[in-house]
Amino acid sequence: MVRVLVVDDEALIRTGFRHILDSADGLDVVAAVSGGQAVATARELRPEVVLLDIRMPDVDGLTVLAELRHLPDPPVVAMLTTFDMDEYVATALRSGAAGFLLKDTDPMQLPLLVRTLAEGGVVLSSQVTRTVVDGYLDNGPQETATRRVARLTERERAVLVLIAEGLSNTGIGAQMHLSIGTVKDHVSAVLAKLEVGSRVQAALLAERAGLLRPPRDRENG
């Protein structure tokens, strides 16, 4: 079972997400709380995945993210937002968020996206726009992205494309017929050569470098 914590200031949102995820096989919502309770609840219940509202009145979502990232065994965190063009999104991604979801995400897709997060995959809303990629993230211009991608071997580039498609290490291994250990080695090499700190940033840099066909819907995991 994947242990999930839902953090949102609106009780209706918390209830809706909890109902959807608890109805899915293999997912267990251990708690659904407001922002002020998030860190203490995560410390006590140790969820594997946290769905965290990026804007809350009682505490800033970015502050909660930073505190969650400093826990001894930090959960995977995806930010929830009603905006596909939110200036906080880039800061959240740079701060270690594994992606972000719009609150109007298709309920049928939500369990799959949470499983993808739990398995180490990248989850970005299909409404992530070119402006987010080119304007907010501090990865430099397209020429810089292309130059960094050129450092990769052919196999590493294939791994990068699968990362950008949202696949977990297990999914990449299955696609490329590689062991999990080998995939992890390739992922580490890709992040180092691209000079990025997360799979999300690698995915966005891959899109900026033109490795993907825009528009790309990465919600398919």
Side-chain angles (χ1 to χ4, degrees):
M1 297 290 285
V2 176
R3 297 167 60 81
V4 183
L5 172 63
V6 177
V7 181
D8 196 283
D9 63 305
E10 297 183 35
L12 184 61
I13 296 292
R14 296 197 301 266
T15 301
F17 271 66
R18 182 165 207 161
H19 175 73
I20 293 167
L21 296 176
D22 274 341
S23 299
D25 293 337
L27 301 179
D28 177 25
V29 178
V30 294
V33 300
S34 62
Q37 303 169 287
V39 177
T41 302
R43 184 178 289 112
E44 177 185 356
L45 301 180
R46 302 182 67 180
E48 297 165 75
V49 175
V50 175
L51 303 182
L52 173 62
D53 189 5
I54 203 167
R55 287 185 172 181
M56 295 177 287
D58 56 344
V59 61
D60 183 76
L62 297 177
T63 300
V64 174
L65 171 62
E67 294 183 24
L68 290 174
R69 295 293 296 165
H70 282 93
L71 291 177
D73 187 16
V76 175
V77 181
M79 310 305 293
L80 299 173
T81 179
T82 56
F83 306 98
D84 64 328
M85 286 303 301
D86 192 317
E87 67 273 18
Y88 291 157
V89 166
T91 301
L93 296 179
R94 287 197 296 267
S95 299
F100 75 92
L101 300 171
L102 297 184
K103 292 184 181 180
D104 61 358
T105 294
D106 183 350
M108 298 295 292
Q109 288 290 315
L110 188 59
L112 172 62
L113 298 178
V114 171
R115 294 189 191 99
T116 299
L117 289 165
E119 294 173 1
V122 170
V123 168
L124 297 176
S125 168
S126 61
Q127 297 183 47
V128 174
T129 66
R130 180 66 58 179
T131 305
V132 171
V133 176
D134 288 340
Y136 285 112
L137 286 183
D138 187 20
N139 281 332
Q142 182 174 351
E143 292 78 9
T144 300
T146 302
R147 186 171 62 252
R148 292 182 185 179
V149 168
R151 301 170 183 169
L152 305 179
T153 65
E154 183 177 350
R155 174 162 288 188
E156 288 167 350
R157 187 175 300 203
V159 168
L160 174 59
V161 170
L162 295 179
I163 289 174
E165 291 178 349
L167 270 67
S168 64
N169 289 345
T170 301
I172 294 172
Q175 286 272 3
M176 299 185 66
H177 307 290
L178 300 173
S179 70
I180 297 299
T182 300
V183 172
K184 289 180 178 179
D185 289 341
H186 284 316
V187 171
S188 295
V190 166
L191 297 184
K193 290 182 179 181
L194 296 182
E195 300 177 29
V196 296
S198 74
R199 297 166 74 109
V200 174
Q201 287 180 310
L204 293 174
L205 192 146
E207 183 166 343
R208 176 176 291 171
L211 294 187
L212 306 179
R213 295 188 303 272
R216 190 75 176 189
D217 184 352
R218 296 195 199 101
E219 286 192 359
N220 293 328

